[in-house]
Amino acid sequence: MTGYTRFFAMIATSTVVMYGLMYLNTYALDHVFFSQTRMWMAIYMGAAMAIVMLSYMLGMYANRGLNIAIFGGAAVVFAVSLYLVRSQDTVADVAWMKAMIPHHSIAILTSERATLTDPRVQSLAQDIIDAQRLEIDEMKALIADLGGGPSATPEVDGK
């Protein structure tokens, strides 16, 4: 494997790993859905990594023209994927719900597992947990109804 091939493989692998890592803070495995938003985020992080890593390793990569092309290409990929995250141009009904379910799941995880002592904050956290669970169930049902996934059954999260 040539140096540049290894570099591109490293960036691609890291981008895929970053996409997966974004789901580690979901509350339940059945809250993990493919998310275009997270994909665009992983891609812009991979592009930024390509720029940073190549900058640090320029001594290992002697082809000046290819280095400039990598910097330019990575900057374009970064800009396009950042635009797609910020604009949500590619995200329609089902894709939006599939992105929102993990987002809501994070709210459940942080609200349920935080060390809260003030009764008002505890009450707010419980309200958030209850609302997010209801909304996740509603989104799963809508996804199934719109043909975007398997039939959803209301979750109970072990409760």
Side-chain angles (χ1 to χ4, degrees):
M1 187 180 281
T2 70
Y4 284 102
T5 303
R6 185 179 298 263
F7 177 80
F8 288 119
M10 177 179 56
I11 296 301
T13 301
S14 297
T15 300
V16 170
V17 167
M18 284 186 284
Y19 176 82
L21 291 174
M22 284 190 250
Y23 289 97
L24 289 180
N25 59 347
T26 54
Y27 181 76
L29 191 56
D30 69 327
H31 294 171
V32 175
F33 287 84
F34 171 76
S35 166
Q36 289 180 35
T37 299
R38 283 175 172 74
M39 178 186 69
W40 299 129
M41 290 169 63
I43 290 171
Y44 75 58
M45 287 186 279
M49 274 185 46
I51 292 168
V52 170
M53 293 176 80
L54 185 59
S55 296
Y56 274 96
M57 299 186 295
L58 269 177
M60 296 171 55
Y61 301 99
N63 186 329
R64 187 174 192 274
L66 188 52
N67 291 345
I68 290 170
I70 292 169
F71 283 128
V76 168
V77 168
F78 178 87
V80 168
S81 56
L82 179 61
Y83 168 80
L84 291 169
V85 167
R86 301 290 301 170
S87 70
Q88 295 289 288
D89 280 352
T90 65
V91 179
D93 297 339
V94 171
W96 175 77
M97 289 183 288
K98 286 183 175 182
M100 289 304 293
I101 289 171
H103 172 75
H104 281 42
S105 185
I106 293 165
I108 294 170
L109 178 88
T110 56
S111 296
E112 189 168 284
R113 299 202 176 145
T115 307
L116 307 176
T117 56
D118 186 287
R120 298 167 298 174
V121 177
Q122 290 172 334
S123 176
L124 175 60
Q126 189 58 54
D127 291 345
I128 289 169
I129 291 166
D130 296 341
Q132 300 306 302
R133 285 189 173 138
L134 286 173
E135 290 175 7
I136 287 170
D137 289 342
E138 182 177 1
M139 286 185 280
K140 284 181 174 182
L142 280 168
I143 290 168
D145 187 55
L146 294 171
S151 177
T153 55
E155 69 175 83
V156 290
D157 288 330
K159 307 255 183 226

